[in-house]
Structures are given as structure tokens and as C-alpha cells.
Amino acid sequence: MYTSTFPSKLPSIGTTIFSRMSALAQQHGAINLAQGFPDFPLHPSLMDWVTEGMQKGYNQYSPMPGFLPLREAHAADIHRRTGTIVCPSEEITITCGATEACFTAITTIVQPGDEVILFEPAFDVYLPAIYLAGGIPKSIRLEAPDFDIPWDKVKAALNDSTKLIIVNTPHNPTGKVWQHSDMIALEKLVEDQELYVLSDEVYEHIVFDEHQHHSALEYPGLREKSLVVGSFGKTYHVTGWRIGYCIAPPLLTKEFRKVHQYTTFAAASPFQYAIAKALLETSHMDGLRSFFEAKRNFFLDSIKSTRWMAKPTQGSYFQIVSFENISSLKDVEFSEYLTKEFKLASIPVSVFYQQENAPSLLRFCFAKSDDTLEKAVRLLCHISASL
Ligand code: GLN
């Protein structure tokens, strides 16, 4: 029988902040700029293609590594955009969202006692997976407002037990985009080491201003040691479809699939069919930068003359905002207060740190319709004026 003394495998982990804030937003009728998902509709063709997939009979298990035409279309798209050659049959695995891909990648690589370097603030999926694999997280703190990678600290954290480095670019929650020089530094670091890289690149198409996304796939020294994770849910505004992927060299993919086949076996067939069709039309992907940049700029321009402080996010669909000049509450309390009293939900950034002393920052998701964003920025201006 379950009792309160049940020996939890994750004693320090609760329900994710995303579920909690979405529930709180719903309960209080608040605008939800917390959990990262679009509230605007998907492209109608995607719906037609799901239906077509079902009508054509793609309703049973897809092959365990994923629907082959999807993997082929994806490899062709990567080649078109970056010139990188990826083998669809031996190097791409379709997963149930990027969350499964990250979890599976960590489970594949990390053995009990292995150390894993990650950067905080860190997206919340990594730590539990490290703990469940018996790994030891070694967090390196990134400091606001620039969240630059302190390479001296990374080098100092490295030792014979280090097995994996987790990279996330564009970064959730800060939007930080790794520069070419960061990728080179990482490439140098893993050279001649039995050290692997999990490169979480789910916001790969959402980068702004002068910034460019640099994938681990494009650096030979990283390519051979990396598991690169991405998300069609993010790219096609369909996060609920749960279609992600992992790209890794054949040997790593072979091991990755051993875990994937007993975690979820395969992702949903008709959705894979639809995305395979969508990938053949390149204009959507190429338009994502300007589509989201307009939303980010609207958000930032609207709060420019308030007491909220923000440095333009470099990528992802999140904007970090400081409330230092507005409230002395802790970020968790403040975001709950705003949700309940002002009907605006956000994510407190401290939840992405293991240490307590987090800065006064909230994360807002601007992947929302113009109408939602207009209402949200009106609330932000009102909050700044009234507190
Ligand atoms: N990636 C999304 C975010 O950061 C949430 C993912 C989830 O809810 N599991 O908001």
C-alpha cells in the first residue's frame, strides 16, 4: 500500500512548474504567458494531412525509429538549410516530443556515478532524468542579464567522471543563443575525451536580430559525440502532437533506440505523416524568425516605458523580465500573486536553479496571438503603474 514514507526516487521533485502555472492560470481565468505553447491555430493544411494520414491507414504503430518518409524529409531539410548530411535510417529517431528525446538521451548515456555538466537556469527535464540514471549533476550557474557561458568554470568542473554536457541553445528560459565561439570552445573541450553532448535545440528556428543558431551537427568534433534533440511541435505550433526527434551518430543512435523502444516505442503515426508532408514546404520554417521577432518586439516596445526591465531575448519564444523595480517579493510568490490578482501568469525563473538565491526574474512566453499579447501587455503596464 502507498504510504507517505514511500521511498521516492525523486524526493526533491514536485509537479512541474508548467503544469502548476497552467492550472493556476485556468483556475483564476488568467492570461497564460507561463507554459510555452502557442495559442494561435496551426496551419489548416496540417489538419488535412493528419486526416489524410488516417484515411490512408496510418493508424497503427509506426516503425520504432519513426515514419521513414518523415526521417527522409527531415534529413533533406537539414541538408537544404545547413549542408549537413544526416542518415535518415541510422541517425534520426522520432520521439514522443523533445521531452522523451532528452530523457532517453540522458538514460542512454549516463551510468550510476557519472557526472553531468549542465547550465543553470536549466530546463526542468534534465535533472530528474540525471537522478533516475544515478548520475551526479554538476551545475554551472549563468548570471543575468547576459547569461554568458563561463568557460573557465566549465573547464574546472571537468574530471574523469564527467560523461555528459547538456547544452541548450536557444536557451530555455533565458533565450541565450550560443555563439560560434561557444561551440568551438565546447568542441575543443570534448576533443579526445570520453565525453558526450546532449544538445537541446528545440528553438533552432527561433533566433532574432544578428543571432544565428549554431547546431552541434555542424561541428565535426561535436557531431560524432552529440545527441541533438529537436521538436516539430515547436516548429509547427503543435506542441500537443508530441513529435520530437534525436539525431546522433549510428552507434549512439543504436543505443538510444534500445531505450526509446521500451519507453514509448514510437510516436503517433498520423501526426508523423502530416509533418512529413509539411517538411516538403520550406516557406513555413523560413518565416519563423520574422513571425516571432514581430511578437517579441511588440512585447518589448509595449513595456519599454514601464518599471519592468528586459534585455531583448536572442532566441526561443521566451522573454525574461526583471521585476526588481516593482516588487521585493520572491519570484515564485510574485508570479502567483500576479496570476491571482492581476490575471496574468508567468514562470518564476528560480525554479530553473537548484540554489535558492535566484534573481527577481519572470519568464513570459510571447508565442501568443496578437489579441492575447495586447491584453497581456496592457496588464503589465497596469501592474507597473499600480504596484
Ligand atoms: N517547453 C515548455 C516550456 O518551457 C513546456 C514543456 C512542458 O510543459 N513539458 O514552457
Side-chain angles (χ1 to χ4, degrees), residues 33 37-41 206-209 234 237 284 287-303 310 312-313 315-319 321 364-377 380:
L33 299 199
F37 63 88
D39 73 342
F40 43 82
I206 312 175
V207 287
F208 308 123
D209 307 320
K234 295 282 171 343
H237 315 316
H284 168 82
L288 282 174
R289 175 192 273 260
S290 56
F291 176 76
F292 281 116
E293 193 165 284
K295 291 187 182 294
R296 181 204 63 167
N297 291 350
F298 171 76
F299 183 89
L300 285 174
D301 287 348
S302 310
I303 61 166
T313 193
S316 80
Y317 43 52
F318 303 115
Q319 176 65 54
V321 177
F364 292 94
C365 171
F366 54 82
K368 303 292 169 186
S369 68
D370 293 349
D371 184 49
T372 305
L373 283 180
E374 267 162 37
K375 286 184 185 140
V377 295
L380 285 168

Side-chain angles (χ1 to χ4, degrees), residues 153-333:
K153 290 193 182 143
V154 182
K155 276 180 206 140
L158 215 62
N159 63 57
D160 289 347
S161 302
T162 315
K163 189 72 169 292
L164 180 68
I165 300 184
I166 302 181
V167 172
N168 175 208
T169 179
H171 183 248
N172 182 2
T174 68
K176 170 85 184 166
V177 173
W178 280 41
Q179 298 174 12
H180 174 62
S181 56
D182 292 315
M183 302 304 281
I184 294 287
L186 180 67
E187 192 178 35
K188 245 187 127 72
L189 210 68
V190 302
E191 200 178 27
D192 304 324
Q193 307 269 354
E194 224 243 290
L195 187 56
Y196 299 91
V197 174
L198 163 56
S199 189
D200 176 352
E201 304 180 6
V202 302
Y203 300 101
E204 61 188 314
H205 300 296
I206 312 175
V207 287
F208 308 123
D209 307 320
E210 74 281 16
H211 299 287
Q212 294 297 334
H213 172 64
H214 300 290
S215 172
L217 293 176
E218 294 160 38
Y219 297 80
L222 294 177
R223 173 80 170 92
E224 59 183 20
K225 294 183 166 174
S226 297
L227 300 107
V228 176
V229 166
S231 161
F232 294 116
K234 295 282 171 343
T235 301
Y236 290 102
H237 315 316
V238 288
T239 60
W241 284 16
R242 316 303 298 130
I243 308 288
Y245 61 84
C246 174
I247 300 177
L251 266 178
L252 285 179
T253 292
K254 202 168 152 214
E255 293 303 314
F256 179 94
R257 287 179 185 170
K258 287 186 193 172
V259 182
H260 163 72
Q261 69 185 344
Y262 295 118
T263 311
T264 60
F265 186 73
S269 301
F271 296 133
Q272 293 191 63
Y273 177 90
I275 293 187
K277 290 272 180 181
L279 275 167
L280 302 177
E281 289 179 11
T282 56
S283 57
H284 168 82
M285 209 171 281
D286 298 340
L288 282 174
R289 175 192 273 260
S290 56
F291 176 76
F292 281 116
E293 193 165 284
K295 291 187 182 294
R296 181 204 63 167
N297 291 350
F298 171 76
F299 183 89
L300 285 174
D301 287 348
S302 310
I303 61 166
K304 205 161 53 195
S305 47
T306 69
R307 287 183 296 144
W308 297 101
M309 287 188 306
K311 258 197 121 168
T313 193
Q314 299 176 353
S316 80
Y317 43 52
F318 303 115
Q319 176 65 54
I320 293 277
V321 177
S322 165
F323 59 89
E324 214 179 294
N325 294 338
I326 298 182
S327 171
S328 55
L329 285 177
K330 287 227 162 93
D331 63 348
V332 173
E333 286 167 60

